Amino acid sequence: MLDTEAADSLIAAAHRARQRAYAPYSGFTVGAAVLCADGSVLPGCNIENGALGATVCAERVAMFSAIAAGHQEIVAIAVVGAPGRLLTPCGVCRQVMRELAPDADVIMEGGGERLVMSVAELLPAPFELQPGT
Ligand code: THU
């Protein structure tokens, strides 16, 4: 579990990332930030597309950025939406967390509330495919 200072700092990075969201269709902006074992912080924001199914959530952008930059161990993920409400990750992002960040703490903040859950708590029965099968 992250200490409060580290969690505050990761939430602040998610708020900064949210400013860069590209959400012209929904107007619903989301920011995320992942903390890697080596201390690196990678931001993510939702990036929408006119072909709506091509939209990617903030959490996945952040996780994919970490993997693409060579950081394989994600220890925490912060996610924020509009300040007035707590945003919990969608099911697709939870599934990707189980694959790419299975041991991460997920820190959600909004509406005056902060919630920290493990990825296993967020998605207790994931789909699993053995590599190579
Ligand atoms: N969105 C996220 O970025 N993360 C989530 O966990 C849920 C939804 C985005 C996708 C879309 O751009 C907008 O929020 C509305 O669904």
Side-chain angles (χ1 to χ4, degrees):
M1 181 78 79
L2 285 191
D3 62 36
T4 307
E5 197 180 331
D8 287 349
S9 161
L10 201 59
I11 286 283
H15 279 294
R16 287 194 299 275
R18 180 170 168 258
Q19 303 299 315
R20 299 189 287 274
Y22 176 75
Y25 302 104
S26 72
F28 188 85
T29 55
V30 183
V34 303
L35 174 65
C36 304
D38 64 3
S40 303
V41 173
L42 283 296
C45 57
N46 54 329
I47 302 175
E48 298 188 342
N49 192 277
L52 297 177
T55 291
V56 186
C57 293
E59 300 93 313
R60 274 177 287 148
V61 170
M63 287 185 280
F64 294 164
S65 294
I67 298 299
H71 308 290
Q72 295 193 343
E73 196 185 338
I74 294 172
V75 299
I77 304 170
V79 57
V80 296
R85 58 165 280 198
L86 189 75
L87 187 149
T88 56
C90 81
V92 173
C93 289
R94 294 178 196 211
Q95 180 71 32
V96 173
M97 287 173 188
R98 287 291 307 237
E99 181 100 21
L100 300 181
D103 300 319
D105 287 326
V106 181
I107 305 159
M108 298 149 275
E109 192 176 87
E113 194 185 344
R114 178 176 291 184
L115 183 62
V116 183
M117 294 177 72
S118 69
V119 171
E121 286 171 327
L122 282 168
L123 186 64
F127 170 73
E128 283 176 311
L129 182 66
Q130 296 305 317
T133 56

